[in-house]
Amino acid sequence: MVKQLVPGTRPGEKAPENEFESLKRRIHGKLVDKLDLTKVSEMDNDVLRREIRMVIEHLSDAESTLLNRAERERLVEEVLDETFGFGPLELLLKDPLISDILINGPKQIYVEKRGKMEKSAVTFRDNAHLLQIIDRIVSKVGRRVDEVSPMVDARLPDGSRVNAIIPPLALDGAAVSIRRFGSNPLKLEDLLNYKAFAPEMVMLLEGAIKARLNVIISGGTGSGKTTLLNTLSSFIPGHERVVTIEDAAELQLQQEHVVRLETRPANIEGKGAVSATDLVKNALRMRPERIIIGECRGPETLDMLQAMNTGHEGSMTTLHANTPRDAVARIETMITMSGFDLPLKAMRQQLASAVDLIIQANRLQGGVRRITAITEVVGMEQDTVVLQDIYKFEPQGVDANGKAYGNFVASGIRPTFMDKLEQAGVRLPASAFRQRVMMQA
C-alpha cells in the first residue's frame, strides 16, 4: 500500500501537530484493543515495553500518514508513555533538572528548572486527559479523586509528592503540583557542594543525630525540609529501629531496620480514615528507637513531643515556620489542636523538655536553599522558651544572576548539650564554635 502524505505536507516535513495527536490516539486505541491484560500483568516490564514497541511500530506502518524517523520515534515513545506511564508528564519527569511541575489546567504547565520558573511546551489534550493521568497516579497508592473527594495527596514511584485538586473546586480545569525528589536522593556531599551549609554545621548535626538529640526542621514551602531530613537520617546507626509516619510517603531512609507508615483518608462513606495521631500512638507500641514524622501539621504534634519525652530520643520531624521562634509558636498552636486544654506554661515546658535542636531551612531569592539557623532549645526562663543560635546565615545581597548570597557565621556560643555528644563518643573541636565567618555562600 502506498502511504499518503498528510494534506499540505511534503516529504521530510513534519506532520501538523493536530494530525500527529489524532494519529497517536488512533494507534493507542488500537493497541488497547490488541492487549491481553491477563498476560500483560504477568510479563517483566522491560520485556513488555519491547513487545509493545514492536506492536506500535507495526500499527504505525499500517496507517496512511507518512512520518519521518524522528516523528516515528516520538510517536512510539508517547504511545508507550500513554499506555504504561503518566502520558505527557513522562517527558518532564525524565528531566533531572526539573524540581517542580505545576499544572494549571490541561494547556498550562510550568516547571521550575535551576531555581527559575518557566512555561513548558508540554500540554494535555483536554481536561479529561489530565483527569485520567491524575487518576492513574493516585490509584497506584490507593487514593482516589472525584467530585466527592476533589483534593488528594499522593506520590510518584520515585517518591515525589503530588497534590491535585479538580473541578468543581478548580475552576479552570484540574490543578496539579508535583514536588520532585528524584530516585537518587541528594547526599550530604551534594548539599555541601551546593553550599546549603558550612562543614562545621555538618559536624554538629552529625553529632546531634548520633547522640540522639530530638530535632525539628522548620522552613517554608520548597525550602528543602524533606531533603534535609533524608540527608540527616543517613547518620542514624543502621541497627536502630526507626518508624516513619507520613501523609504521602516520600522519605527515603537508607537504613535497613525501617518501618514505614502512611495515613489513610476516609472512604466514600466518610469512614476508615487513619490520622497521623493514630499512627503515632500505634508506633509507640512497635518498640521504635526513633520516630520520624514527615511533617507535623496538627494534633499529632502533642503525641510527638510526648514520645520525645518518654524514651524515644533521636526523633525528628518537620514543620512550616519562617524562623526558629516562629517554629516554637507554631508548635504551641498545633498542640492546642489536640483538644486538650493545657495551660500555656505546661505546654512550653513539654516543648522545652522534648526538643533539643531547631534547624531552620529557607529558600532565598533566586531559588537558592540555605540552612539559615541551627538553634538550641536551652530550656525555660519563667514562662518563655529560651533559644540560642549556634550557627546562622547572614544574607549580604543579590548577585548578577539574581541569586542571594551571604555568610555562614558561628555565634561563639558553645551548646549546652555538648556533654551528651561526648557521652555518645562525638568529639567536636572548640574552634568549631569560635565566633567568626565560617564560609561565604
Side-chain angles (χ1 to χ4, degrees):
M1 181 180 71
V2 179
K3 294 179 182 176
Q4 301 297 313
L5 288 170
V6 177
T9 62
R10 297 190 182 92
E13 280 188 345
K14 288 177 69 176
E17 196 64 25
N18 58 347
E19 282 286 343
F20 184 88
E21 283 297 320
S22 62
L23 173 63
K24 186 171 77 176
R25 290 179 74 174
R26 283 201 306 274
I27 290 180
H28 182 249
K30 290 179 181 178
L31 176 65
V32 171
D33 291 339
K34 279 179 171 287
L35 286 178
D36 184 344
L37 296 177
T38 55
K39 290 184 179 177
V40 163
S41 59
E42 296 169 0
M43 293 177 70
D44 177 73
N45 197 43
D46 291 335
V47 175
L48 182 61
R49 285 185 78 94
R50 230 179 6 253
E51 295 281 335
I52 298 297
R53 174 179 281 272
M54 291 169 61
V55 175
I56 295 169
E57 288 175 348
H58 175 71
L59 289 171
S60 63
D61 286 342
E63 288 288 331
S64 59
T65 306
L66 185 64
L67 299 174
N68 60 39
R69 182 176 294 178
E71 286 178 326
R72 181 189 174 92
E73 186 58 29
R74 178 187 159 198
L75 176 73
V76 171
E77 285 298 323
E78 289 190 12
V79 174
L80 278 170
D81 290 341
E82 201 66 51
T83 308
F84 299 108
F86 302 122
L89 286 180
E90 286 290 339
L91 187 64
L92 304 177
L93 295 172
K94 287 171 186 171
D95 188 342
L97 298 177
I98 292 176
S99 57
D100 287 270
I101 303 170
L102 307 174
I103 302 169
N104 309 335
K107 300 300 181 184
Q108 273 196 346
I109 300 179
Y110 292 87
V111 297
E112 185 183 270
K113 213 178 216 184
R114 294 192 179 95
K116 289 188 176 179
M117 195 69 72
E118 56 189 59
K119 190 173 182 180
S120 169
V122 172
T123 61
F124 292 85
R125 283 194 306 272
D126 49 34
N127 201 50
H129 185 205
L130 175 54
L131 288 172
Q132 180 187 344
I133 298 302
I134 294 171
D135 192 56
R136 190 176 297 175
I137 293 170
V138 302
S139 62
K140 283 181 182 289
V141 291
R143 303 288 168 106
R144 64 186 181 85
V145 61
D146 49 39
E147 287 189 7
V148 177
S149 178
M151 295 185 290
V152 68
D153 273 316
R155 65 180 186 275
L156 295 175
D158 66 2
S160 298
R161 182 193 306 161
V162 180
N163 176 270
I165 181 166
I166 68 169
L169 301 188
L171 301 181
D172 300 319
V176 184
S177 308
I178 300 175
R179 304 290 315 285
R180 301 283 311 281
F181 294 108
S183 51
N184 298 314
L186 290 176
K187 293 185 171 58
L188 186 66
E189 296 76 21
D190 300 319
L191 295 182
L192 280 168
N193 290 337
Y194 292 143
K195 297 184 177 180
F197 37 47
E200 292 89 342
M201 298 164 80
V202 176
M203 290 164 57
L204 178 65
L205 294 177
E206 181 177 358
I209 301 303
K210 288 181 176 176
R212 299 177 64 84
L213 299 187
N214 293 320
V215 175
I216 286 178
I217 300 171
S218 78
T221 301
S223 60
K225 300 186 296 298
T226 304
T227 300
L228 182 60
L229 185 56
N230 271 327
T231 306
L232 294 182
S233 71
S234 65
F235 297 132
I236 298 174
H239 65 271
E240 292 190 10
R241 180 173 171 82
V242 181
V243 177
T244 68
I245 296 166
E246 301 171 83
D247 279 334
E250 59 201 20
L251 292 175
Q252 296 168 304
L253 272 61
Q254 308 305 309
Q255 288 74 13
E256 283 186 20
H257 202 167
V258 176
V259 179
R260 303 171 73 211
L261 306 179
E262 187 177 59
T263 61
R264 186 177 71 184
N267 62 19
I268 199 165
E269 297 168 352
K271 298 177 181 176
V274 179
S275 68
T277 304
D278 299 328
L279 292 180
V280 173
K281 288 175 180 174
N282 189 76
L284 296 174
R285 305 185 186 105
M286 299 174 70
R287 199 201 165 277
E289 288 171 288
R290 299 180 194 242
I291 296 174
I292 297 179
I293 299 183
E295 184 183 336
C296 276
R297 52 165 68 92
E300 70 275 6
T301 308
L302 179 58
D303 295 290
M304 182 67 185
L305 292 180
Q306 287 178 326
M308 289 175 168
N309 266 327
T310 54
H312 300 90
E313 293 89 358
S315 296
M316 295 189 283
T317 187
T318 73
L319 55 83
H320 279 82
N322 293 324
T323 66
R325 179 58 65 186
D326 285 348
V328 169
R330 182 152 164 72
I331 290 170
E332 292 173 6
T333 303
M334 291 189 292
I335 290 174
T336 61
M337 296 166 69
S338 64
F340 295 104
D341 190 16
L342 287 175
L344 187 62
K345 186 170 183 179
M347 201 185 299
R348 289 177 175 171
Q349 282 172 335
Q350 276 265 21
L351 194 161
S353 174
V355 180
D356 297 302
L357 210 56
I358 298 175
I359 305 168
Q360 182 65 41
N362 283 101
R363 187 176 185 273
L364 307 178
Q365 190 168 335
V368 295
R369 293 168 174 86
R370 297 285 182 263
I371 304 305
T372 54
I374 296 180
T375 303
E376 180 187 8
V377 181
V378 181
M380 287 282 290
E381 193 172 286
Q382 294 181 343
D383 290 346
T384 306
V385 177
V386 180
L387 306 178
Q388 62 181 19
D389 291 334
I390 303 167
Y391 298 118
K392 56 185 176 179
F393 178 79
E394 295 180 344
Q396 299 294 310
V398 179
D399 64 17
N401 298 318
K403 294 187 175 182
Y405 66 90
N407 299 324
F408 287 109
V409 177
S411 66
I413 296 172
R414 187 178 185 271
T416 60
F417 53 70
M418 287 303 294
D419 291 342
K420 283 187 181 178
L421 266 63
E422 288 170 5
Q423 287 168 14
V426 178
R427 302 268 191 281
L428 298 182
S431 60
F433 305 108
R434 183 166 46 83
Q435 186 174 6
R436 71 196 191 285
V437 173
M438 299 181 294
M439 188 176 85
Q440 291 184 325

